Amino acid sequence: MPPNSRSAARHHRAATEATGAPRERAPVVVIGAGPYGLATAARLSAARVPLRIFGEPMEGWHTHMPKGMYLKSVPAASSISAPEPGYGLADFRAAEGKAPVGDLYPIPIEEFIGYGRWFQERRVPELERSMVHGVRAVDGGFGITLDSGEEFLASAVVVSTGLVPFAHEPTQLRRLTATGLTSHTCEHRDLTGFAGQRVAVLGAGQSALESAALLYEAGARPTVVARAPAVVFGDPPQTDRPGTRSRSVRLRKPGSALGPGWSLLAVSRGAAAYRHLPTSVRLRLLHTVLGPSGAWWLRERVDGRFPMLCGRTVHSAVPEDGTVRLELADPGGGIEPLRVDHLLVATGYRVDVDRLGFLEPTLRQAVRTFGGAPRLSAGFESSVPGLYFTGLAAAPTFGPVLRFVCGTGFAARQTAAAVSAGIR
């Protein structure tokens, strides 16, 4: 294990004095303590790289995901990667005295948060529950400022800030933000406060459909507004254990961490090759492979419970007497009104380095991007030497697998190897 976090602050940049005596290396800093940050820190720790990792464990999941939510990914694909066995979701359940589960078991978010914190306590105990306030380039390395006011040098920085900084809201809705009449799904831990209200939920993916279900179950009156011509749900697994599927079925639809099918197998196992595809192809696949849909187990909580207006786009949205007056454009070019008390935006996330305010402006400007996302090497390094991005920020480079927990293995191995080689 690396030295304790406070002693790590005293490390200086790797260099050689005139006498030839080496100084201690400055630590590598990992920003973020969700699945990707924890997996990366575990790998760096195993490689004995001086390390400091900052953040609240599983904070994004605890604060920005609604109570009552379930993971879309199956248990077999929901373990945070560690450099050795014994830290998977099944190990956590066993430690808690719970029985093994298969693919027909939807994972409650509370269980997954508990698992992530269990992983952190056992595999990344050096985590510091402070926030990084600023990162700036300093003489070939980085100057780090914490919210406590502490400043120190880092030899490399791994950005693993998760989804929240990249929450996407359509441009035409932004004028409503100041009114409090619209919000993104990631802004709500508890949807019960909408009980009795009319809520339009914009989107057709898992977040939109599950939020609408939770709203309905909390006594609200949701209406789903979707650009898609129809709401789509995944098919339930044919068996609780993927390995028990018949040989013919496995040949037709081979299993993968993202589900059965050749395309899903390709993107889940071919992340290293994905980055060599043309930019336009990568971005298209990122949004179409495992595109907007609901989990199979969500269908019965949605069908027939509340209105779903498909094939609609928002033509206008204006505040009126403490409510939102929406005008929806239908496929035939007609306009239909919808009056609601609140508009809940479930339009996903779009990576944009400029939204990472803790990166000093000149440092952000030095990061080469495409469509707002950082251009990354095979080792997840940006155009700024020593500055790495993982998790969702790396998905435009490496593909849809980086949107899911199962991508922590590939990402942590590649990043830790590159960081270790870069600071030698």
Side-chain angles (χ1 to χ4, degrees):
M1 283 286 179
N4 192 279
S5 55
R6 289 302 166 193
S7 63
R10 295 192 293 272
H11 282 289
H12 293 287
R13 184 177 319 284
T16 303
E17 301 281 9
T19 59
R23 293 179 180 174
E24 290 183 285
R25 287 183 297 174
V28 171
V29 165
V30 177
I31 303 174
Y36 279 85
L38 294 174
T40 302
R43 294 272 173 178
L44 291 170
S45 175
R48 299 188 180 279
V49 173
L51 168 72
R52 294 185 77 177
I53 172 172
F54 300 97
E56 286 289 332
M58 304 297 288
E59 177 68 9
W61 293 79
H62 174 70
T63 304
H64 299 283
M65 302 292 175
K67 295 177 182 178
M69 170 187 155
Y70 290 82
L71 268 66
K72 192 176 182 182
S73 56
V74 299
S78 299
S79 289
I80 302 170
S81 178
E84 61 280 298
Y87 298 96
L89 178 64
D91 300 299
F92 166 70
R93 287 185 59 84
E96 294 285 299
K98 297 177 180 177
V101 293
D103 283 358
L104 292 173
Y105 174 76
I107 305 169
I109 188 171
E110 289 78 10
E111 180 177 333
F112 187 69
I113 292 170
Y115 161 56
R117 290 172 173 171
W118 177 87
F119 182 101
Q120 179 269 311
E121 290 169 358
R122 285 155 181 76
R123 198 59 195 78
V124 192
E126 62 268 45
L127 174 70
E128 298 178 57
R129 297 188 174 190
S130 299
M131 298 297 166
V132 173
H133 179 73
V135 179
R136 65 189 187 282
V138 177
D139 189 26
F142 302 91
I144 309 296
T145 304
L146 303 182
D147 56 4
S148 65
E150 179 188 354
E151 297 185 357
F152 63 96
L153 297 178
S155 57
V157 172
V158 180
V159 177
S160 181
T161 50
L163 305 175
V164 177
F166 306 127
H168 172 65
E169 184 175 295
T171 305
Q172 67 266 38
L173 302 181
R174 290 176 185 167
R175 59 177 291 193
L176 286 174
T177 302
T179 68
L181 296 172
T182 184
S183 58
H184 194 278
T185 51
C186 73
E187 297 177 49
H188 300 282
R189 172 63 175 155
D190 189 347
L191 293 171
T192 60
F194 289 107
Q197 295 187 37
R198 301 164 298 173
V199 182
V201 183
L202 186 61
Q206 175 74 5
S207 178
L209 298 176
E210 190 169 19
S211 293
L214 289 168
L215 285 164
Y216 176 80
E217 292 158 3
R221 290 177 284 164
T223 298
V224 171
V225 178
R227 182 174 53 188
V231 169
V232 178
F233 293 91
D235 295 324
Q238 294 181 328
T239 173
D240 205 27
R241 306 287 174 179
T244 63
R245 295 189 307 152
S246 68
R247 185 172 182 273
S248 62
V249 171
R250 281 183 280 139
L251 286 174
R252 189 170 66 254
K253 287 190 173 184
S256 77
L258 297 179
W262 285 103
S263 62
L264 298 183
L265 179 67
V267 296
S268 63
R269 295 191 180 181
Y274 188 95
R275 63 182 287 270
H276 295 294
L277 294 172
T279 298
S280 60
V281 175
R282 276 187 283 132
L283 294 178
R284 176 170 54 81
L285 291 175
L286 183 63
H287 294 103
T288 57
V289 175
L290 288 174
S293 66
W296 63 270
W297 45 261
L298 188 57
R299 182 191 292 271
E300 66 180 9
R301 296 169 58 194
V302 171
D303 279 353
R305 302 299 179 94
F306 41 81
M308 291 191 286
L309 306 179
C310 296
R312 270 68 161 192
T313 57
V314 176
H315 177 72
S316 67
V318 296
E320 189 173 272
D321 299 327
T323 66
V324 180
R325 180 167 56 83
L326 295 168
E327 290 187 340
L328 307 178
D330 63 33
I335 300 294
E336 58 186 292
L338 178 64
R339 179 74 67 88
V340 294
D341 300 301
H342 193 84
L343 176 59
L344 187 61
V345 178
T347 48
Y349 303 84
R350 293 188 183 177
V351 179
D352 185 351
V353 171
D354 281 339
R355 299 183 70 175
L356 298 176
F358 59 86
L359 297 178
E360 189 267 340
T362 58
L363 181 58
R364 292 200 304 270
Q365 293 164 13
V367 177
R368 292 182 59 207
T369 61
F370 62 102
R375 293 187 179 275
L376 303 177
S377 71
F380 287 66
E381 188 174 24
S382 71
S383 57
V384 176
L387 181 62
Y388 300 78
F389 293 84
T390 189
L392 182 66
T397 297
F398 295 100
V401 71
L402 270 292
R403 291 164 35 201
F404 298 90
V405 180
C406 61
T408 57
F410 169 76
R413 286 192 299 272
Q414 296 294 108
T415 306
V419 170
S420 298
I423 64 174
R424 285 174 186 162

